[in-house]
C-alpha cells in the first residue's frame, strides 16, 4: 500500500461504545481512536435508548442504534441487520461476544469481507450454549476470513476457535502510556487518597461488578489481612458484595468507589500498593486493567485462568498469580506483598518494562492494520 493509496475502510460492529463502560468498549475505542494512518474506522453499536444517533466521537464516526430493550444482557436493535447490509467499505469486523450482531448477520445480506474480534469466551450452561449461541457462532466464524484474539494463550485455550485455528491471528492490546503518567494534579490527589486510607497498605480493584470478577474472593481474602482496599466500578453484583463486606466485618477497610473519572482512576493506581484482578472464570480473557496497573508501576495479583490473563501478568516478573477462587492462596500472596516493599517495587518495574516492550498503542495499531488487510484480501 503506497502513501497515496486511499485509506482502508473498516466497519466495526460492537455492542456499545464509550461513554458506556466495559472492557470490550474500551478496546474498540482504542482501536478506532489510535488507528494506523492507512485505516479509516467506522462504528455501529447499540444505543442505551430507543433513539438512533449518528455522531463524531473523538474523530470516530459512531452510529448508535435505538433499541427496543434487552434480553438479559443482550440489547435488541432491530435496525442492525439493515445497517450491516447497507455498510460500505473494505472489511466488517464483528466484536464478539455479541449475540445480536451474529443473529443480525444471518439476515443482513452483507457482501463485505468479514472478520471477528474474539474478545472472550461465552460462559453459559452447556445446553443453553449448544442450542442458542453455538449455531450463530459456527455460521459466523466459518464465514470469517480472520479471527483476532488478544493473546496466544486465548488462541490455544478457546474451544470455540478450535475448528478455525489456521485463521486465528494474535493482536495484543495496547495502551497509551501518556494517559497514566504522574502529573502534579495526579500526585496531589494520590497523596490525599493515601491519607484517607490511613497507614495500612492499599489494595485496588477496578472493573465491572459482575460475578466472574471474583470480588467476593477478594473480600474474603481481606479478613485477617492488614490492608485497606478501594473497589472501583459498578454493576449488578455490587449490592451483594457490599452486604458481604458488612457480613465479613471489613467495611472499615473497604471503600466501594463506584464509577470514577479517568483522572481519579489514574490517581488511585498511583496511590495503591497492589492491584488485584481476582477473576474466577475464563470470561476474563485478557484483563486490560492489568496493563493500566503495570503502566503505573504497580505489582499485579491475578488468577491463573485458561485465558490471556496470566500471559499478560507474568508470575514473578510483573506480579504474582494464584488459582482462581482460592481465598487462602490470595490472602497469602497479598500478605507477602504487603510485607515486602522491595518485591512490590521490583514487580512494578517489571510490569512497566513489559508494557513498554509488548503493549504499546503503536504495536497494536500496526498489528491490527496488517490483519485488516490480510482479511480483506483473503480468498
Amino acid at each position: 500500500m503506497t502513501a497515496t493509496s486511499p485509506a482502508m475502510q473498516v466497519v466495526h460492529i460492537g455492542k456499545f461504545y464509550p461513554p458506556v463502560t466495559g472492557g470490550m468498549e474500551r478496546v474498540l475505542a482504542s482501536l478506532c481512536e489510535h488507528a494506523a494512518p492507512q485505516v479509516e474506522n467506522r462504528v455501529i453499536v447499540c444505543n442505551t435508548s430507543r433513539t438512533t444517533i449518528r455522531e463524531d466521537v473523538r474523530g470516530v464516526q459512531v452510529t448508535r442504534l435505538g433499541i427496543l430493550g434487552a434480553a438479559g444482557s443482550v440489547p435488541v436493535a432491530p435496525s442492525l441487520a439493515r445497517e450491516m447490509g447497507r455498510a460500505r467499505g473494505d472489511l466488517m469486523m464483528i466484536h464478539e461476544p455479541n449475540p445480536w450482531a451474529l443473529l443480525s448477520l444471518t439476515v443482513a445480506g452483507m457482501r463485505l469481507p468479514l472478520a471477528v474480534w474474539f474478545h472472550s469466551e461465552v460462559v453459559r450452561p452447556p445446553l443453553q450454549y449448544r442450542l442458542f449461541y453455538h449455531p450463530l457462532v459456527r455460521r459466523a466464524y466459518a464465514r470469517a476470513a480472520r479471527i483476532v484474539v488478544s493473546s496466544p494463550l486465548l488462541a490455544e485455550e478457546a474451544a470455540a476457535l478450535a475448528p478455525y485455528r489456521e485463521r486465528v491471528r494474535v493482536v495484543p492490546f495496547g495502551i497509551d502510556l501518556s494517559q497514566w503518567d504522574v502529573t502534579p494534579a495526579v500526585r496531589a490527589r494520590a497523596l490525599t487518597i493515601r491519607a484517607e486510607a490511613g497507614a495500612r497498605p492499599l489494595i485496588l480493584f477496578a472493573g465491572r461488578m459482575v460475578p466472574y470478577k471474583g470480588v467476593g474472593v477478594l473480600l474474603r481474602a481481606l479478613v485477617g489481612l492488614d490492608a485497606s482496599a478501594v473497589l472501583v466500578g459498578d454493576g449488578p453484583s455490587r449490592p451483594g458484595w457490599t452486604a458481604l463486606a458488612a457480613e465479613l466485618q471489613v467495611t472499615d477497610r473497604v471503600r466501594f468507589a463506584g464509577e470514577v473519572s479517568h483522572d481519579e482512576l489514574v490517581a488511585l493506581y498511583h496511590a495503591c500498593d497492589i492491584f488485584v484482578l481476582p477473576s474466577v472464570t475464563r470470561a476474563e480473557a485478557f484483563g486490560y486493567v492489568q496493563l493500566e496497573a503495570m503502566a503505573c508501576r504497580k505489582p499485579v495479583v491475578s488468577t491463573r485462568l485458561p485465558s490471556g490473563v496470566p500471559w499478560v501478568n507474568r508470575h514473578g516478573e510483573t506480579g504474582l498469580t494464584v488459582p482462581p477462587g482460592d481465598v487462602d492462596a490470595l490472602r497469602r500472596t497479598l500478605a507477602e506483598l504487603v510485607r515486602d516493599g522491595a518485591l512490590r517495587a521490583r514487580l512494578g518495574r517489571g510490569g512497566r518494562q513489559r508494557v513498554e516492550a509488548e503493549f504499546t498503542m503503536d504495536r497494536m495499531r500496526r498489528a491490527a492494520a496488517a490483519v485488516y488487510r490480510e482479511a480483506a484480501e483473503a480468498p
Side-chain angles (χ1 to χ4, degrees), residues 7-22:
M8 182 180 184
Q9 296 185 340
V10 181
V11 180
H12 295 267
I13 310 296
K15 283 181 71 174
F16 297 105
Y17 195 83
V20 177
T21 58

Side-chain angles (χ1 to χ4, degrees), residues 228-295:
S228 298
V230 176
L231 310 181
V232 172
D234 209 346
S237 295
R238 181 177 173 180
W241 284 334
T242 302
L244 177 61
E247 178 185 328
L248 296 171
Q249 299 182 0
V250 295
T251 51
D252 61 323
R253 296 186 286 119
V254 176
R255 176 163 70 93
F256 286 84
E259 299 288 357
V260 302
S261 68
H262 174 75
D263 290 346
E264 179 72 0
L265 183 58
V266 176
L268 282 163
Y269 275 120
H270 285 284
C272 78
D273 296 287
I274 306 164
F275 180 80
V276 183
L277 184 66
S279 304
V280 293
T281 80
R282 64 186 186 277
E284 190 73 80
F286 186 89
Y288 190 86
V289 288
Q290 297 184 115
L291 298 186
E292 297 171 354
M294 290 156 63

Side-chain angles (χ1 to χ4, degrees), residues 87-110:
R88 297 293 178 266
D90 299 293
L91 180 71
M92 179 168 287
M93 176 72 75
I94 294 180
H95 292 261
E96 255 274 279
N98 197 339
W100 189 255
L102 297 188
L103 181 61
S104 299
L105 179 67
T106 65
V107 296
M110 189 195 74

Side-chain angles (χ1 to χ4, degrees), residues 70-145:
S73 62
V74 180
V76 177
S79 60
L80 179 57
R82 184 176 67 249
E83 290 285 339
M84 292 172 70
R86 290 176 175 176
R88 297 293 178 266
D90 299 293
L91 180 71
M92 179 168 287
M93 176 72 75
I94 294 180
H95 292 261
E96 255 274 279
N98 197 339
W100 189 255
L102 297 188
L103 181 61
S104 299
L105 179 67
T106 65
V107 296
M110 189 195 74
R111 297 185 179 183
L112 296 184
L114 177 69
V116 169
W117 198 300
F118 184 89
H119 289 261
S120 68
E121 292 191 80
V122 176
V123 181
R124 293 285 186 273
L127 181 61
Q128 185 184 94
Y129 180 81
R130 286 199 304 270
L131 289 178
F132 300 106
Y133 200 64
H134 186 249
L136 298 175
V137 167
R138 187 173 61 240
R139 187 175 302 168
Y141 289 19
R143 178 176 174 178

